[in-house]
Structure formats: C-alpha cells, structure tokens
Amino acid sequence: MDQMGFYSGGSYESSMNSNVPLGDSISSGNISLSAYRKTNAGAAGKLLENKGFGWLLEVNEEEENQLPLLEELDIDLTDIYYKIRCVLLPLPYFRMKLNIVRESPDFWGPLAIVISYALLSIYGQFSVVSWILTIWCCGGFIVYFIARALGGDVGYTQVLGVIGYCLIPLVVMSLVIPLFSSVPIVAKALGMFGTAWSVYSAGTLLCVDELQTKKPLVIYPVFLLYIYFFSLYSGV
C-alpha cells in the first residue's frame, strides 16, 4: 500500500501469475469451486464426502452436444416428402428423380404409410395391424426374390421401401371412397384406379435397366400384392 492508501499493481500481477487455475477460482477470492460446493453441500453432502462418495455430488459443467430427436432416429422429413411426390407423380412429364426411392431406401417413411393404410383398413381393430405388416414384409420378399431371379440388381430393403411408399395411392383412395359409399360402382372404380396407380408407380420404380425387357414378370406379382392389399380394405 502506498502513502495515498492505494494498493500497487504488483499484487494484482502476482495474483494473475499464481498457480491457481482460472476455472477453479471464484472472483471473490482464491477458494476453489469444489471447496465452495463442499462447504455448501449441507450435512448430507459432508457425510458423503467423509464416506468416500463425494463423486456423487460432482456436476459435469460441460454441455453435451445432443442431436435433435429426428436426426437421432435418422428421419428426414424433406426426403420422405420428395419420395411421396415421386410415387404420386411417376410420369416422366413431372421430371422427378424416381430412382431416389429405390436407391436411397429408408425405414420410417414406408412403415408410417403401411401403418396408416392398416388403420384405415381395419377401423380400429389394432390386432390386424401386425397381419398387414407381415403381408408387407413377406410380399416384398417375394417380389425381391422374383426380381433377383430375373437378374435385377435390387436389394430387399429397396423393394420393401418401394412397396411401402407405393401404398400412398391406396391410402388416398381409402380416404375418398367413403364419400361415395352410396354409389358402389364409383367406389369400386376408385379402388381399382388406386390399385392401378400403385402398381404403375411400383413397376416404374422397381424395374431397373436389367428388368426393362422383363417388366411384365415383375409387375404381375406386384399387381397381385396390391390387389390383396385392396381386398383387405374392401373386405372382398
């Protein structure tokens, strides 16, 4: 302290050059954060410290980087929306990249569509959902086996994704058909139109270059599969 009652800067510099880490000090003094927590831990905290369980009171101050839920589940809503557009608009006029549905298969999009169709088909009988999911998996495997036997370079997950996504026209028709329930002919015509729409989309997406000359052999089992799906909805 000088004659005017002020402290010199040397004490400040010496405190800055001390061996006390900056992260373990408090601005009011040289008390470490861990010591400060121990003194304010209370009776229970002191008991744990004495027994050797003080690590239970330690707090990790570093925030862990947590990914969003959709990213952790590998759900890309933009990708699913684009694939739905590819299925609903499979004509070359719309210039959609149709091969993305086959070459970039995902799980959650087809599963959500198949479950939606199952719920619309069974009207609350949740025990039948497992049966429709089984038909989806087994029917997709049959189509995959036939496509591979014909020389097509496709995988089971690709076929499963295409079959699931191409149920979208039947989902749309199942929402429209109840509006024409009083006219059975129109309802049946809409059902067959949705089935043909699904078959055309699936055939366009599944038939790679190796299967272009054998397209009818691939479309036929796909047609039977979607006919069966529609029969589950109509009860025929």
Side-chain angles (χ1 to χ4, degrees):
M1 183 181 295
D2 58 9
Q3 296 178 356
M4 300 299 293
F6 295 100
Y7 287 99
S8 63
S11 61
Y12 177 76
E13 292 177 357
S14 62
S15 64
M16 291 297 292
N17 295 327
S18 62
N19 294 327
V20 179
L22 183 60
D24 292 340
S25 63
I26 301 178
S27 60
S28 61
N30 291 330
I31 304 175
S32 64
L33 289 176
S34 58
Y36 179 78
R37 286 174 184 150
K38 291 178 181 178
T39 54
N40 292 273
K46 293 179 181 178
L47 179 62
L48 290 175
E49 288 287 344
N50 296 331
K51 297 296 183 180
F53 296 98
W55 55 271
L56 293 174
L57 301 176
E58 294 181 359
V59 179
N60 187 9
E61 297 179 357
E62 298 181 358
E63 296 182 358
E64 297 181 356
N65 295 326
Q66 295 183 355
L67 298 175
L69 179 60
L70 294 180
E71 189 172 348
E72 288 184 357
L73 296 176
D74 197 17
I75 300 176
D76 190 351
L77 297 179
T78 304
D79 182 61
I80 293 175
Y81 173 69
Y82 187 81
K83 290 178 180 178
I84 291 175
R85 290 179 57 196
C86 290
V87 173
L88 293 176
L89 306 172
L91 299 175
Y93 172 78
F94 297 101
R95 298 179 180 179
M96 305 291 291
K97 296 181 180 179
L98 302 179
N99 57 346
I100 194 174
V101 182
R102 181 184 67 251
E103 296 179 356
S104 178
D106 63 290
F107 174 74
W108 297 107
L111 179 63
I113 293 169
V114 173
I115 290 178
S116 300
Y117 182 74
L119 294 177
L120 291 172
S121 301
I122 62 182
Y123 294 105
Q125 300 178 12
F126 295 100
S127 59
V128 191
V129 175
S130 59
W131 171 247
I132 294 181
L133 292 176
T134 303
I135 295 301
W136 172 44
C137 296
C138 295
F141 179 78
I142 294 174
V143 175
Y144 159 74
F145 180 79
I146 293 175
R148 293 291 293 183
L150 294 174
D153 187 13
V154 292
Y156 176 61
T157 56
Q158 294 175 331
V159 175
L160 207 62
V162 170
I163 295 297
Y165 271 115
C166 290
L167 269 176
I168 297 175
L170 284 178
V171 173
V172 174
M173 290 299 107
S174 62
L175 295 173
V176 176
I177 287 175
L179 302 177
F180 300 92
S181 58
S182 58
V183 187
I185 298 178
V186 177
K188 292 294 182 182
L190 289 174
M192 295 306 298
F193 173 73
T195 303
W197 191 356
S198 295
V199 172
Y200 179 80
S201 297
T204 303
L205 297 174
L206 283 177
C207 290
V208 293
D209 296 337
E210 299 87 355
L211 298 176
Q212 289 297 324
T213 57
K214 307 171 184 177
K215 196 171 183 179
L217 298 177
V218 178
I219 292 180
Y220 180 69
V222 173
F223 172 74
L224 295 179
L225 180 60
Y226 284 114
I227 284 290
Y228 187 74
F229 273 123
F230 178 66
S231 66
L232 292 176
Y233 172 79
S234 60
V236 178

mmCIF file with all atom_site columns, all heavy atoms in Angstrom, residues 102 105 140 144 148 152-161 206:
data_model
loop_
_atom_site.group_PDB
_atom_site.id
_atom_site.type_symbol
_atom_site.label_atom_id
_atom_site.label_alt_id
_atom_site.label_comp_id
_atom_site.label_asym_id
_atom_site.label_entity_id
_atom_site.label_seq_id
_atom_site.pdbx_PDB_ins_code
_atom_site.Cartn_x
_atom_site.Cartn_y
_atom_site.Cartn_z
_atom_site.occupancy
_atom_site.B_iso_or_equiv
_atom_site.pdbx_formal_charge
_atom_site.auth_seq_id
_atom_site.auth_comp_id
_atom_site.auth_asym_id
_atom_site.auth_atom_id
_atom_site.pdbx_PDB_model_num
ATOM 1   N N   . ARG A 1 102 ? -35.804 -45.901 -54.920 1.00 0.00 ? 102 ARG A N   1
ATOM 2   C CA  . ARG A 1 102 ? -35.190 -47.232 -54.913 1.00 0.00 ? 102 ARG A CA  1
ATOM 3   C C   . ARG A 1 102 ? -33.753 -47.191 -54.405 1.00 0.00 ? 102 ARG A C   1
ATOM 4   O O   . ARG A 1 102 ? -33.353 -48.047 -53.617 1.00 0.00 ? 102 ARG A O   1
ATOM 5   C CB  . ARG A 1 102 ? -35.217 -47.810 -56.325 1.00 0.00 ? 102 ARG A CB  1
ATOM 6   C CG  . ARG A 1 102 ? -34.626 -49.214 -56.436 1.00 0.00 ? 102 ARG A CG  1
ATOM 7   C CD  . ARG A 1 102 ? -34.587 -49.701 -57.874 1.00 0.00 ? 102 ARG A CD  1
ATOM 8   N NE  . ARG A 1 102 ? -33.664 -48.941 -58.691 1.00 0.00 ? 102 ARG A NE  1
ATOM 9   C CZ  . ARG A 1 102 ? -34.044 -48.085 -59.631 1.00 0.00 ? 102 ARG A CZ  1
ATOM 10  N NH1 . ARG A 1 102 ? -35.320 -47.873 -59.876 1.00 0.00 ? 102 ARG A NH1 1
ATOM 11  N NH2 . ARG A 1 102 ? -33.152 -47.422 -60.351 1.00 0.00 ? 102 ARG A NH2 1
ATOM 12  N N   . PRO A 1 105 ? -33.196 -46.099 -49.928 1.00 0.00 ? 105 PRO A N   1
ATOM 13  C CA  . PRO A 1 105 ? -34.331 -46.590 -49.131 1.00 0.00 ? 105 PRO A CA  1
ATOM 14  C C   . PRO A 1 105 ? -34.232 -46.118 -47.682 1.00 0.00 ? 105 PRO A C   1
ATOM 15  O O   . PRO A 1 105 ? -33.152 -45.927 -47.143 1.00 0.00 ? 105 PRO A O   1
ATOM 16  C CB  . PRO A 1 105 ? -34.175 -48.120 -49.224 1.00 0.00 ? 105 PRO A CB  1
ATOM 17  C CG  . PRO A 1 105 ? -32.710 -48.335 -49.432 1.00 0.00 ? 105 PRO A CG  1
ATOM 18  C CD  . PRO A 1 105 ? -32.230 -47.168 -50.251 1.00 0.00 ? 105 PRO A CD  1
ATOM 19  N N   . GLY A 1 140 ? -43.098 -58.227 -50.018 1.00 0.00 ? 140 GLY A N   1
ATOM 20  C CA  . GLY A 1 140 ? -41.896 -57.575 -50.524 1.00 0.00 ? 140 GLY A CA  1
ATOM 21  C C   . GLY A 1 140 ? -40.770 -58.566 -50.775 1.00 0.00 ? 140 GLY A C   1
ATOM 22  O O   . GLY A 1 140 ? -40.010 -58.428 -51.740 1.00 0.00 ? 140 GLY A O   1
ATOM 23  N N   . TYR A 1 144 ? -38.944 -59.283 -54.259 1.00 0.00 ? 144 TYR A N   1
ATOM 24  C CA  . TYR A 1 144 ? -37.478 -59.198 -54.289 1.00 0.00 ? 144 TYR A CA  1
ATOM 25  C C   . TYR A 1 144 ? -36.874 -60.484 -54.853 1.00 0.00 ? 144 TYR A C   1
ATOM 26  O O   . TYR A 1 144 ? -35.951 -60.433 -55.686 1.00 0.00 ? 144 TYR A O   1
ATOM 27  C CB  . TYR A 1 144 ? -36.958 -58.941 -52.873 1.00 0.00 ? 144 TYR A CB  1
ATOM 28  C CG  . TYR A 1 144 ? -35.517 -59.325 -52.668 1.00 0.00 ? 144 TYR A CG  1
ATOM 29  C CD1 . TYR A 1 144 ? -34.492 -58.551 -53.202 1.00 0.00 ? 144 TYR A CD1 1
ATOM 30  C CD2 . TYR A 1 144 ? -35.183 -60.471 -51.938 1.00 0.00 ? 144 TYR A CD2 1
ATOM 31  C CE1 . TYR A 1 144 ? -33.163 -58.917 -53.009 1.00 0.00 ? 144 TYR A CE1 1
ATOM 32  C CE2 . TYR A 1 144 ? -33.857 -60.838 -51.747 1.00 0.00 ? 144 TYR A CE2 1
ATOM 33  C CZ  . TYR A 1 144 ? -32.855 -60.059 -52.283 1.00 0.00 ? 144 TYR A CZ  1
ATOM 34  O OH  . TYR A 1 144 ? -31.542 -60.411 -52.104 1.00 0.00 ? 144 TYR A OH  1
ATOM 35  N N   . ARG A 1 148 ? -34.681 -60.632 -58.284 1.00 0.00 ? 148 ARG A N   1
ATOM 36  C CA  . ARG A 1 148 ? -33.312 -61.130 -58.295 1.00 0.00 ? 148 ARG A CA  1
ATOM 37  C C   . ARG A 1 148 ? -33.161 -62.338 -59.217 1.00 0.00 ? 148 ARG A C   1
ATOM 38  O O   . ARG A 1 148 ? -32.141 -62.492 -59.898 1.00 0.00 ? 148 ARG A O   1
ATOM 39  C CB  . ARG A 1 148 ? -32.892 -61.516 -56.874 1.00 0.00 ? 148 ARG A CB  1
ATOM 40  C CG  . ARG A 1 148 ? -32.780 -60.343 -55.921 1.00 0.00 ? 148 ARG A CG  1
ATOM 41  C CD  . ARG A 1 148 ? -31.623 -59.436 -56.240 1.00 0.00 ? 148 ARG A CD  1
ATOM 42  N NE  . ARG A 1 148 ? -30.342 -60.096 -56.030 1.00 0.00 ? 148 ARG A NE  1
ATOM 43  C CZ  . ARG A 1 148 ? -29.166 -59.499 -56.179 1.00 0.00 ? 148 ARG A CZ  1
ATOM 44  N NH1 . ARG A 1 148 ? -29.127 -58.224 -56.568 1.00 0.00 ? 148 ARG A NH1 1
ATOM 45  N NH2 . ARG A 1 148 ? -28.038 -60.150 -55.969 1.00 0.00 ? 148 ARG A NH2 1
ATOM 46  N N   . GLY A 1 152 ? -32.321 -58.745 -61.771 1.00 0.00 ? 152 GLY A N   1
ATOM 47  C CA  . GLY A 1 152 ? -32.359 -57.353 -61.347 1.00 0.00 ? 152 GLY A CA  1
ATOM 48  C C   . GLY A 1 152 ? -31.400 -57.087 -60.200 1.00 0.00 ? 152 GLY A C   1
ATOM 49  O O   . GLY A 1 152 ? -31.274 -57.894 -59.276 1.00 0.00 ? 152 GLY A O   1
ATOM 50  N N   . ASP A 1 153 ? -30.714 -55.954 -60.248 1.00 0.00 ? 153 ASP A N   1
ATOM 51  C CA  . ASP A 1 153 ? -29.765 -55.572 -59.198 1.00 0.00 ? 153 ASP A CA  1
ATOM 52  C C   . ASP A 1 153 ? -30.491 -54.691 -58.176 1.00 0.00 ? 153 ASP A C   1
ATOM 53  O O   . ASP A 1 153 ? -30.317 -53.471 -58.127 1.00 0.00 ? 153 ASP A O   1
ATOM 54  C CB  . ASP A 1 153 ? -28.577 -54.831 -59.804 1.00 0.00 ? 153 ASP A CB  1
ATOM 55  C CG  . ASP A 1 153 ? -27.481 -54.561 -58.780 1.00 0.00 ? 153 ASP A CG  1
ATOM 56  O OD1 . ASP A 1 153 ? -27.552 -55.157 -57.691 1.00 0.00 ? 153 ASP A OD1 1
ATOM 57  O OD2 . ASP A 1 153 ? -26.580 -53.755 -59.076 1.00 0.00 ? 153 ASP A OD2 1
ATOM 58  N N   . VAL A 1 154 ? -31.319 -55.309 -57.350 1.00 0.00 ? 154 VAL A N   1
ATOM 59  C CA  . VAL A 1 154 ? -32.067 -54.597 -56.311 1.00 0.00 ? 154 VAL A CA  1
ATOM 60  C C   . VAL A 1 154 ? -31.899 -55.346 -54.987 1.00 0.00 ? 154 VAL A C   1
ATOM 61  O O   . VAL A 1 154 ? -31.648 -56.549 -54.968 1.00 0.00 ? 154 VAL A O   1
ATOM 62  C CB  . VAL A 1 154 ? -33.570 -54.486 -56.659 1.00 0.00 ? 154 VAL A CB  1
ATOM 63  C CG1 . VAL A 1 154 ? -33.781 -53.581 -57.848 1.00 0.00 ? 154 VAL A CG1 1
ATOM 64  C CG2 . VAL A 1 154 ? -34.178 -55.864 -56.921 1.00 0.00 ? 154 VAL A CG2 1
ATOM 65  N N   . GLY A 1 155 ? -32.015 -54.603 -53.896 1.00 0.00 ? 155 GLY A N   1
ATOM 66  C CA  . GLY A 1 155 ? -31.911 -55.188 -52.572 1.00 0.00 ? 155 GLY A CA  1
ATOM 67  C C   . GLY A 1 155 ? -33.278 -55.322 -51.926 1.00 0.00 ? 155 GLY A C   1
ATOM 68  O O   . GLY A 1 155 ? -34.262 -54.706 -52.350 1.00 0.00 ? 155 GLY A O   1
ATOM 69  N N   . TYR A 1 156 ? -33.326 -56.113 -50.859 1.00 0.00 ? 156 TYR A N   1
ATOM 70  C CA  . TYR A 1 156 ? -34.602 -56.337 -50.172 1.00 0.00 ? 156 TYR A CA  1
ATOM 71  C C   . TYR A 1 156 ? -35.122 -55.050 -49.541 1.00 0.00 ? 156 TYR A C   1
ATOM 72  O O   . TYR A 1 156 ? -36.326 -54.757 -49.594 1.00 0.00 ? 156 TYR A O   1
ATOM 73  C CB  . TYR A 1 156 ? -34.433 -57.420 -49.114 1.00 0.00 ? 156 TYR A CB  1
ATOM 74  C CG  . TYR A 1 156 ? -35.665 -57.665 -48.286 1.00 0.00 ? 156 TYR A CG  1
ATOM 75  C CD1 . TYR A 1 156 ? -36.851 -58.100 -48.875 1.00 0.00 ? 156 TYR A CD1 1
ATOM 76  C CD2 . TYR A 1 156 ? -35.653 -57.445 -46.913 1.00 0.00 ? 156 TYR A CD2 1
ATOM 77  C CE1 . TYR A 1 156 ? -37.990 -58.317 -48.114 1.00 0.00 ? 156 TYR A CE1 1
ATOM 78  C CE2 . TYR A 1 156 ? -36.778 -57.665 -46.146 1.00 0.00 ? 156 TYR A CE2 1
ATOM 79  C CZ  . TYR A 1 156 ? -37.948 -58.095 -46.753 1.00 0.00 ? 156 TYR A CZ  1
ATOM 80  O OH  . TYR A 1 156 ? -39.075 -58.301 -45.992 1.00 0.00 ? 156 TYR A OH  1
ATOM 81  N N   . THR A 1 157 ? -34.232 -54.261 -48.945 1.00 0.00 ? 157 THR A N   1
ATOM 82  C CA  . THR A 1 157 ? -34.677 -53.002 -48.350 1.00 0.00 ? 157 THR A CA  1
ATOM 83  C C   . THR A 1 157 ? -35.205 -52.037 -49.402 1.00 0.00 ? 157 THR A C   1
ATOM 84  O O   . THR A 1 157 ? -36.147 -51.275 -49.146 1.00 0.00 ? 157 THR A O   1
ATOM 85  C CB  . THR A 1 157 ? -33.524 -52.349 -47.586 1.00 0.00 ? 157 THR A CB  1
ATOM 86  O OG1 . THR A 1 157 ? -32.392 -52.179 -48.462 1.00 0.00 ? 157 THR A OG1 1
ATOM 87  C CG2 . THR A 1 157 ? -33.101 -53.199 -46.401 1.00 0.00 ? 157 THR A CG2 1
ATOM 88  N N   . GLN A 1 158 ? -34.620 -52.074 -50.595 1.00 0.00 ? 158 GLN A N   1
ATOM 89  C CA  . GLN A 1 158 ? -35.109 -51.224 -51.676 1.00 0.00 ? 158 GLN A CA  1
ATOM 90  C C   . GLN A 1 158 ? -36.516 -51.629 -52.097 1.00 0.00 ? 158 GLN A C   1
ATOM 91  O O   . GLN A 1 158 ? -37.404 -50.782 -52.262 1.00 0.00 ? 158 GLN A O   1
ATOM 92  C CB  . GLN A 1 158 ? -34.152 -51.294 -52.870 1.00 0.00 ? 158 GLN A CB  1
ATOM 93  C CG  . GLN A 1 158 ? -32.780 -50.704 -52.590 1.00 0.00 ? 158 GLN A CG  1
ATOM 94  C CD  . GLN A 1 158 ? -31.822 -50.895 -53.749 1.00 0.00 ? 158 GLN A CD  1
ATOM 95  O OE1 . GLN A 1 158 ? -31.926 -51.864 -54.508 1.00 0.00 ? 158 GLN A OE1 1
ATOM 96  N NE2 . GLN A 1 158 ? -30.884 -49.978 -53.904 1.00 0.00 ? 158 GLN A NE2 1
ATOM 97  N N   . VAL A 1 159 ? -36.729 -52.928 -52.271 1.00 0.00 ? 159 VAL A N   1
ATOM 98  C CA  . VAL A 1 159 ? -38.051 -53.415 -52.660 1.00 0.00 ? 159 VAL A CA  1
ATOM 99  C C   . VAL A 1 159 ? -39.072 -53.111 -51.570 1.00 0.00 ? 159 VAL A C   1
ATOM 100 O O   . VAL A 1 159 ? -40.202 -52.669 -51.845 1.00 0.00 ? 159 VAL A O   1
ATOM 101 C CB  . VAL A 1 159 ? -38.008 -54.930 -52.958 1.00 0.00 ? 159 VAL A CB  1
ATOM 102 C CG1 . VAL A 1 159 ? -39.404 -55.470 -53.238 1.00 0.00 ? 159 VAL A CG1 1
ATOM 103 C CG2 . VAL A 1 159 ? -37.088 -55.210 -54.143 1.00 0.00 ? 159 VAL A CG2 1
ATOM 104 N N   . LEU A 1 160 ? -38.679 -53.317 -50.318 1.00 0.00 ? 160 LEU A N   1
ATOM 105 C CA  . LEU A 1 160 ? -39.586 -53.060 -49.206 1.00 0.00 ? 160 LEU A CA  1
ATOM 106 C C   . LEU A 1 160 ? -39.972 -51.590 -49.140 1.00 0.00 ? 160 LEU A C   1
ATOM 107 O O   . LEU A 1 160 ? -41.139 -51.241 -48.889 1.00 0.00 ? 160 LEU A O   1
ATOM 108 C CB  . LEU A 1 160 ? -38.916 -53.490 -47.897 1.00 0.00 ? 160 LEU A CB  1
ATOM 109 C CG  . LEU A 1 160 ? -39.834 -53.904 -46.747 1.00 0.00 ? 160 LEU A CG  1
ATOM 110 C CD1 . LEU A 1 160 ? -40.673 -55.116 -47.128 1.00 0.00 ? 160 LEU A CD1 1
ATOM 111 C CD2 . LEU A 1 160 ? -39.007 -54.207 -45.502 1.00 0.00 ? 160 LEU A CD2 1
ATOM 112 N N   . GLY A 1 161 ? -39.006 -50.696 -49.371 1.00 0.00 ? 161 GLY A N   1
ATOM 113 C CA  . GLY A 1 161 ? -39.309 -49.271 -49.364 1.00 0.00 ? 161 GLY A CA  1
ATOM 114 C C   . GLY A 1 161 ? -40.233 -48.866 -50.501 1.00 0.00 ? 161 GLY A C   1
ATOM 115 O O   . GLY A 1 161 ? -41.171 -48.077 -50.312 1.00 0.00 ? 161 GLY A O   1
ATOM 116 N N   . LEU A 1 206 ? -39.316 -50.066 -59.574 1.00 0.00 ? 206 LEU A N   1
ATOM 117 C CA  . LEU A 1 206 ? -38.587 -51.316 -59.347 1.00 0.00 ? 206 LEU A CA  1
ATOM 118 C C   . LEU A 1 206 ? -37.843 -51.813 -60.582 1.00 0.00 ? 206 LEU A C   1
ATOM 119 O O   . LEU A 1 206 ? -36.805 -52.464 -60.452 1.00 0.00 ? 206 LEU A O   1
ATOM 120 C CB  . LEU A 1 206 ? -39.546 -52.411 -58.869 1.00 0.00 ? 206 LEU A CB  1
ATOM 121 C CG  . LEU A 1 206 ? -39.989 -52.353 -57.409 1.00 0.00 ? 206 LEU A CG  1
ATOM 122 C CD1 . LEU A 1 206 ? -40.996 -53.455 -57.120 1.00 0.00 ? 206 LEU A CD1 1
ATOM 123 C CD2 . LEU A 1 206 ? -38.792 -52.483 -56.483 1.00 0.00 ? 206 LEU A CD2 1
#
